[in-house]
PDB file of all heavy atoms in Angstrom:
ATOM      1  N   THR A   1       2.306  -0.777 -14.099  1.00 93.00           N
ATOM      2  CA  THR A   1       3.284   0.273 -13.804  1.00 93.00           C
ATOM      3  C   THR A   1       3.652   0.263 -12.332  1.00 93.00           C
ATOM      4  O   THR A   1       4.848   0.327 -11.975  1.00 93.00           O
ATOM      5  CB  THR A   1       2.705   1.651 -14.181  1.00 93.00           C
ATOM      6  OG1 THR A   1       2.398   1.666 -15.585  1.00 93.00           O
ATOM      7  CG2 THR A   1       3.687   2.770 -13.875  1.00 93.00           C
ATOM      8  N   PHE A   2       2.653   0.186 -11.449  1.00 93.00           N
ATOM      9  CA  PHE A   2       2.917   0.198 -10.021  1.00 93.00           C
ATOM     10  C   PHE A   2       3.672  -1.071  -9.605  1.00 93.00           C
ATOM     11  O   PHE A   2       4.541  -1.019  -8.728  1.00 93.00           O
ATOM     12  CB  PHE A   2       1.608   0.331  -9.243  1.00 93.00           C
ATOM     13  CG  PHE A   2       0.911   1.657  -9.433  1.00 93.00           C
ATOM     14  CD1 PHE A   2      -0.453   1.708  -9.634  1.00 93.00           C
ATOM     15  CD2 PHE A   2       1.640   2.828  -9.389  1.00 93.00           C
ATOM     16  CE1 PHE A   2      -1.098   2.934  -9.809  1.00 93.00           C
ATOM     17  CE2 PHE A   2       0.992   4.067  -9.563  1.00 93.00           C
ATOM     18  CZ  PHE A   2      -0.373   4.101  -9.772  1.00 93.00           C
ATOM     19  N   LYS A   3       3.321  -2.196 -10.213  1.00 92.00           N
ATOM     20  CA  LYS A   3       4.003  -3.445  -9.886  1.00 92.00           C
ATOM     21  C   LYS A   3       5.486  -3.332 -10.217  1.00 92.00           C
ATOM     22  O   LYS A   3       6.355  -3.734  -9.429  1.00 92.00           O
ATOM     23  CB  LYS A   3       3.370  -4.610 -10.655  1.00 92.00           C
ATOM     24  CG  LYS A   3       4.015  -5.949 -10.361  1.00 92.00           C
ATOM     25  CD  LYS A   3       3.357  -7.072 -11.167  1.00 92.00           C
ATOM     26  CE  LYS A   3       4.031  -8.413 -10.899  1.00 92.00           C
ATOM     27  NZ  LYS A   3       3.437  -9.509 -11.723  1.00 92.00           N
ATOM     28  N   GLU A   4       5.797  -2.778 -11.393  1.00 93.00           N
ATOM     29  CA  GLU A   4       7.188  -2.596 -11.787  1.00 93.00           C
ATOM     30  C   GLU A   4       7.898  -1.654 -10.831  1.00 93.00           C
ATOM     31  O   GLU A   4       9.055  -1.895 -10.421  1.00 93.00           O
ATOM     32  CB  GLU A   4       7.254  -2.051 -13.212  1.00 93.00           C
ATOM     33  CG  GLU A   4       8.675  -1.814 -13.698  1.00 93.00           C
ATOM     34  CD  GLU A   4       8.707  -1.089 -15.039  1.00 93.00           C
ATOM     35  OE1 GLU A   4       7.803  -0.245 -15.298  1.00 93.00           O
ATOM     36  OE2 GLU A   4       9.644  -1.316 -15.805  1.00 93.00           O
ATOM     37  N   LEU A   5       7.223  -0.577 -10.440  1.00 93.00           N
ATOM     38  CA  LEU A   5       7.811   0.394  -9.528  1.00 93.00           C
ATOM     39  C   LEU A   5       8.144  -0.237  -8.192  1.00 93.00           C
ATOM     40  O   LEU A   5       9.226  -0.009  -7.630  1.00 93.00           O
ATOM     41  CB  LEU A   5       6.841   1.565  -9.341  1.00 93.00           C
ATOM     42  CG  LEU A   5       7.331   2.745  -8.502  1.00 93.00           C
ATOM     43  CD1 LEU A   5       8.437   3.498  -9.226  1.00 93.00           C
ATOM     44  CD2 LEU A   5       6.173   3.707  -8.208  1.00 93.00           C
ATOM     45  N   LEU A   6       7.228  -1.064  -7.676  1.00 93.00           N
ATOM     46  CA  LEU A   6       7.426  -1.702  -6.385  1.00 93.00           C
ATOM     47  C   LEU A   6       8.537  -2.741  -6.430  1.00 93.00           C
ATOM     48  O   LEU A   6       9.189  -3.036  -5.415  1.00 93.00           O
ATOM     49  CB  LEU A   6       6.120  -2.329  -5.899  1.00 93.00           C
ATOM     50  CG  LEU A   6       5.020  -1.336  -5.517  1.00 93.00           C
ATOM     51  CD1 LEU A   6       3.702  -2.060  -5.290  1.00 93.00           C
ATOM     52  CD2 LEU A   6       5.424  -0.526  -4.283  1.00 93.00           C
ATOM     53  N   GLU A   7       8.758  -3.326  -7.608  1.00 93.00           N
ATOM     54  CA  GLU A   7       9.851  -4.279  -7.761  1.00 93.00           C
ATOM     55  C   GLU A   7      11.215  -3.586  -7.761  1.00 93.00           C
ATOM     56  O   GLU A   7      12.209  -4.154  -7.331  1.00 93.00           O
ATOM     57  CB  GLU A   7       9.665  -5.086  -9.048  1.00 93.00           C
ATOM     58  CG  GLU A   7       8.516  -6.083  -8.987  1.00 93.00           C
ATOM     59  CD  GLU A   7       8.226  -6.712 -10.348  1.00 93.00           C
ATOM     60  OE1 GLU A   7       8.797  -6.237 -11.363  1.00 93.00           O
ATOM     61  OE2 GLU A   7       7.423  -7.674 -10.405  1.00 93.00           O
ATOM     62  N   LYS A   8      11.243  -2.350  -8.229  1.00 93.00           N
ATOM     63  CA  LYS A   8      12.511  -1.629  -8.356  1.00 93.00           C
ATOM     64  C   LYS A   8      12.837  -0.781  -7.131  1.00 93.00           C
ATOM     65  O   LYS A   8      13.993  -0.472  -6.865  1.00 93.00           O
ATOM     66  CB  LYS A   8      12.479  -0.729  -9.604  1.00 93.00           C
ATOM     67  CG  LYS A   8      12.465  -1.488 -10.919  1.00 93.00           C
ATOM     68  CD  LYS A   8      12.444  -0.519 -12.094  1.00 93.00           C
ATOM     69  CE  LYS A   8      12.518  -1.266 -13.428  1.00 93.00           C
ATOM     70  NZ  LYS A   8      12.493  -0.323 -14.576  1.00 93.00           N
ATOM     71  N   HIS A   9      11.823  -0.351  -6.408  1.00 92.00           N
ATOM     72  CA  HIS A   9      12.019   0.578  -5.299  1.00 92.00           C
ATOM     73  C   HIS A   9      11.364   0.018  -4.024  1.00 92.00           C
ATOM     74  O   HIS A   9      10.215  -0.442  -4.067  1.00 92.00           O
ATOM     75  CB  HIS A   9      11.427   1.943  -5.601  1.00 92.00           C
ATOM     76  CG  HIS A   9      12.010   2.605  -6.812  1.00 92.00           C
ATOM     77  ND1 HIS A   9      13.182   3.308  -6.792  1.00 92.00           N
ATOM     78  CD2 HIS A   9      11.576   2.640  -8.106  1.00 92.00           C
ATOM     79  CE1 HIS A   9      13.453   3.762  -8.003  1.00 92.00           C
ATOM     80  NE2 HIS A   9      12.488   3.364  -8.818  1.00 92.00           N
ATOM     81  N   PRO A  10      12.048   0.068  -2.903  1.00 89.00           N
ATOM     82  CA  PRO A  10      11.456  -0.450  -1.667  1.00 89.00           C
ATOM     83  C   PRO A  10      10.348   0.462  -1.132  1.00 89.00           C
ATOM     84  O   PRO A  10      10.545   1.653  -0.932  1.00 89.00           O
ATOM     85  CB  PRO A  10      12.651  -0.475  -0.697  1.00 89.00           C
ATOM     86  CG  PRO A  10      13.596   0.574  -1.225  1.00 89.00           C
ATOM     87  CD  PRO A  10      13.419   0.577  -2.712  1.00 89.00           C
ATOM     88  N   VAL A  11       9.168  -0.100  -0.953  1.00 95.00           N
ATOM     89  CA  VAL A  11       8.038   0.583  -0.342  1.00 95.00           C
ATOM     90  C   VAL A  11       7.502  -0.326   0.758  1.00 95.00           C
ATOM     91  O   VAL A  11       7.238  -1.506   0.527  1.00 95.00           O
ATOM     92  CB  VAL A  11       6.938   0.908  -1.374  1.00 95.00           C
ATOM     93  CG1 VAL A  11       5.701   1.451  -0.680  1.00 95.00           C
ATOM     94  CG2 VAL A  11       7.429   1.925  -2.387  1.00 95.00           C
ATOM     95  N   ASP A  12       7.364   0.236   1.936  1.00 95.00           N
ATOM     96  CA  ASP A  12       6.870  -0.546   3.078  1.00 95.00           C
ATOM     97  C   ASP A  12       5.342  -0.598   3.020  1.00 95.00           C
ATOM     98  O   ASP A  12       4.661   0.377   3.327  1.00 95.00           O
ATOM     99  CB  ASP A  12       7.339   0.124   4.370  1.00 95.00           C
ATOM    100  CG  ASP A  12       7.168  -0.773   5.589  1.00 95.00           C
ATOM    101  OD1 ASP A  12       6.862  -1.951   5.398  1.00 95.00           O
ATOM    102  OD2 ASP A  12       7.314  -0.253   6.710  1.00 95.00           O
ATOM    103  N   MET A  13       4.798  -1.742   2.593  1.00 95.00           N
ATOM    104  CA  MET A  13       3.379  -1.883   2.357  1.00 95.00           C
ATOM    105  C   MET A  13       2.720  -2.667   3.495  1.00 95.00           C
ATOM    106  O   MET A  13       3.142  -3.783   3.808  1.00 95.00           O
ATOM    107  CB  MET A  13       3.150  -2.617   1.025  1.00 95.00           C
ATOM    108  CG  MET A  13       1.714  -2.658   0.552  1.00 95.00           C
ATOM    109  SD  MET A  13       1.188  -1.150  -0.283  1.00 95.00           S
ATOM    110  CE  MET A  13       2.125  -1.235  -1.808  1.00 95.00           C
ATOM    111  N   HIS A  14       1.656  -2.071   4.065  1.00 96.00           N
ATOM    112  CA  HIS A  14       0.926  -2.723   5.162  1.00 96.00           C
ATOM    113  C   HIS A  14      -0.528  -2.883   4.738  1.00 96.00           C
ATOM    114  O   HIS A  14      -1.314  -1.927   4.783  1.00 96.00           O
ATOM    115  CB  HIS A  14       1.036  -1.892   6.444  1.00 96.00           C
ATOM    116  CG  HIS A  14       2.425  -1.779   6.973  1.00 96.00           C
ATOM    117  ND1 HIS A  14       2.943  -2.627   7.918  1.00 96.00           N
ATOM    118  CD2 HIS A  14       3.425  -0.921   6.637  1.00 96.00           C
ATOM    119  CE1 HIS A  14       4.193  -2.299   8.187  1.00 96.00           C
ATOM    120  NE2 HIS A  14       4.510  -1.256   7.422  1.00 96.00           N
ATOM    121  N   LEU A  15      -0.895  -4.101   4.316  1.00 96.00           N
ATOM    122  CA  LEU A  15      -2.265  -4.383   3.899  1.00 96.00           C
ATOM    123  C   LEU A  15      -3.079  -4.924   5.077  1.00 96.00           C
ATOM    124  O   LEU A  15      -2.512  -5.308   6.107  1.00 96.00           O
ATOM    125  CB  LEU A  15      -2.257  -5.386   2.741  1.00 96.00           C
ATOM    126  CG  LEU A  15      -1.471  -4.957   1.498  1.00 96.00           C
ATOM    127  CD1 LEU A  15      -1.470  -6.082   0.453  1.00 96.00           C
ATOM    128  CD2 LEU A  15      -2.008  -3.672   0.899  1.00 96.00           C
ATOM    129  N   SER A  16      -4.409  -4.936   4.908  1.00 96.00           N
ATOM    130  CA  SER A  16      -5.319  -5.369   5.984  1.00 96.00           C
ATOM    131  C   SER A  16      -5.018  -4.634   7.280  1.00 96.00           C
ATOM    132  O   SER A  16      -5.075  -5.191   8.377  1.00 96.00           O
ATOM    133  CB  SER A  16      -5.218  -6.899   6.189  1.00 96.00           C
ATOM    134  OG  SER A  16      -5.545  -7.588   5.026  1.00 96.00           O
ATOM    135  N   THR A  17      -4.706  -3.355   7.143  1.00 97.00           N
ATOM    136  CA  THR A  17      -4.316  -2.524   8.287  1.00 97.00           C
ATOM    137  C   THR A  17      -5.209  -1.283   8.325  1.00 97.00           C
ATOM    138  O   THR A  17      -5.336  -0.574   7.315  1.00 97.00           O
ATOM    139  CB  THR A  17      -2.839  -2.113   8.168  1.00 97.00           C
ATOM    140  OG1 THR A  17      -2.032  -3.287   8.084  1.00 97.00           O
ATOM    141  CG2 THR A  17      -2.404  -1.283   9.355  1.00 97.00           C
ATOM    142  N   SER A  18      -5.838  -1.028   9.464  1.00 96.00           N
ATOM    143  CA  SER A  18      -6.831   0.046   9.574  1.00 96.00           C
ATOM    144  C   SER A  18      -6.318   1.218  10.398  1.00 96.00           C
ATOM    145  O   SER A  18      -5.713   1.028  11.475  1.00 96.00           O
ATOM    146  CB  SER A  18      -8.114  -0.488  10.234  1.00 96.00           C
ATOM    147  OG  SER A  18      -8.666  -1.542   9.475  1.00 96.00           O
ATOM    148  N   LEU A  19      -6.538   2.419   9.904  1.00 97.00           N
ATOM    149  CA  LEU A  19      -6.167   3.624  10.622  1.00 97.00           C
ATOM    150  C   LEU A  19      -7.058   3.799  11.856  1.00 97.00           C
ATOM    151  O   LEU A  19      -8.281   3.722  11.754  1.00 97.00           O
ATOM    152  CB  LEU A  19      -6.291   4.828   9.693  1.00 97.00           C
ATOM    153  CG  LEU A  19      -5.948   6.202  10.291  1.00 97.00           C
ATOM    154  CD1 LEU A  19      -4.465   6.269  10.638  1.00 97.00           C
ATOM    155  CD2 LEU A  19      -6.333   7.314   9.324  1.00 97.00           C
ATOM    156  N   LYS A  20      -6.437   4.053  12.978  1.00 97.00           N
ATOM    157  CA  LYS A  20      -7.188   4.202  14.232  1.00 97.00           C
ATOM    158  C   LYS A  20      -7.086   5.593  14.844  1.00 97.00           C
ATOM    159  O   LYS A  20      -8.026   6.049  15.497  1.00 97.00           O
ATOM    160  CB  LYS A  20      -6.701   3.155  15.258  1.00 97.00           C
ATOM    161  CG  LYS A  20      -6.942   1.708  14.862  1.00 97.00           C
ATOM    162  CD  LYS A  20      -8.426   1.414  14.667  1.00 97.00           C
ATOM    163  CE  LYS A  20      -8.675  -0.029  14.298  1.00 97.00           C
ATOM    164  NZ  LYS A  20     -10.105  -0.318  14.051  1.00 97.00           N
ATOM    165  N   LYS A  21      -5.961   6.250  14.651  1.00 97.00           N
ATOM    166  CA  LYS A  21      -5.763   7.557  15.251  1.00 97.00           C
ATOM    167  C   LYS A  21      -4.766   8.374  14.439  1.00 97.00           C
ATOM    168  O   LYS A  21      -3.802   7.812  13.900  1.00 97.00           O
ATOM    169  CB  LYS A  21      -5.267   7.407  16.693  1.00 97.00           C
ATOM    170  CG  LYS A  21      -5.129   8.730  17.458  1.00 97.00           C
ATOM    171  CD  LYS A  21      -4.700   8.476  18.900  1.00 97.00           C
ATOM    172  CE  LYS A  21      -4.534   9.793  19.656  1.00 97.00           C
ATOM    173  NZ  LYS A  21      -4.111   9.570  21.071  1.00 97.00           N
ATOM    174  N   VAL A  22      -5.005   9.669  14.363  1.00 97.00           N
ATOM    175  CA  VAL A  22      -4.113  10.577  13.634  1.00 97.00           C
ATOM    176  C   VAL A  22      -3.492  11.549  14.620  1.00 97.00           C
ATOM    177  O   VAL A  22      -4.201  12.257  15.347  1.00 97.00           O
ATOM    178  CB  VAL A  22      -4.877  11.332  12.547  1.00 97.00           C
ATOM    179  CG1 VAL A  22      -3.967  12.343  11.852  1.00 97.00           C
ATOM    180  CG2 VAL A  22      -5.463  10.365  11.526  1.00 97.00           C
ATOM    181  N   CYS A  23      -2.167  11.597  14.660  1.00 97.00           N
ATOM    182  CA  CYS A  23      -1.423  12.522  15.511  1.00 97.00           C
ATOM    183  C   CYS A  23      -0.630  13.469  14.605  1.00 97.00           C
ATOM    184  O   CYS A  23      -0.447  13.199  13.415  1.00 97.00           O
ATOM    185  CB  CYS A  23      -0.482  11.758  16.440  1.00 97.00           C
ATOM    186  SG  CYS A  23      -1.304  10.531  17.477  1.00 97.00           S
ATOM    187  N   PRO A  24      -0.153  14.589  15.142  1.00 96.00           N
ATOM    188  CA  PRO A  24       0.551  15.557  14.292  1.00 96.00           C
ATOM    189  C   PRO A  24       1.751  14.992  13.545  1.00 96.00           C
ATOM    190  O   PRO A  24       2.089  15.455  12.460  1.00 96.00           O
ATOM    191  CB  PRO A  24       0.985  16.656  15.279  1.00 96.00           C
ATOM    192  CG  PRO A  24      -0.044  16.558  16.368  1.00 96.00           C
ATOM    193  CD  PRO A  24      -0.339  15.100  16.506  1.00 96.00           C
ATOM    194  N   ASP A  25       2.417  13.994  14.121  1.00 96.00           N
ATOM    195  CA  ASP A  25       3.641  13.471  13.479  1.00 96.00           C
ATOM    196  C   ASP A  25       3.642  11.968  13.293  1.00 96.00           C
ATOM    197  O   ASP A  25       4.656  11.366  12.978  1.00 96.00           O
ATOM    198  CB  ASP A  25       4.864  13.861  14.317  1.00 96.00           C
ATOM    199  CG  ASP A  25       4.770  13.341  15.754  1.00 96.00           C
ATOM    200  OD1 ASP A  25       3.716  12.774  16.118  1.00 96.00           O
ATOM    201  OD2 ASP A  25       5.762  13.509  16.503  1.00 96.00           O
TER     202      ASP A  25
END
């Protein structure tokens, strides 16, 4: 289901990417 959704709709996917800091915006 998710594969089909990603083929039909653009989603900016960033893999092998680690969260380092959280800011309000």
Side-chain angles (χ1 to χ4, degrees):
T1 300
F2 294 136
K3 181 181 178 183
E4 180 189 32
L5 184 68
L6 291 171
E7 289 172 350
K8 292 181 177 180
H9 300 277
V11 172
D12 193 11
M13 188 82 70
H14 296 266
L15 302 177
S16 300
T17 303
S18 300
L19 180 66
K20 296 299 182 183
K21 185 177 179 180
V22 176
C23 304
D25 58 354

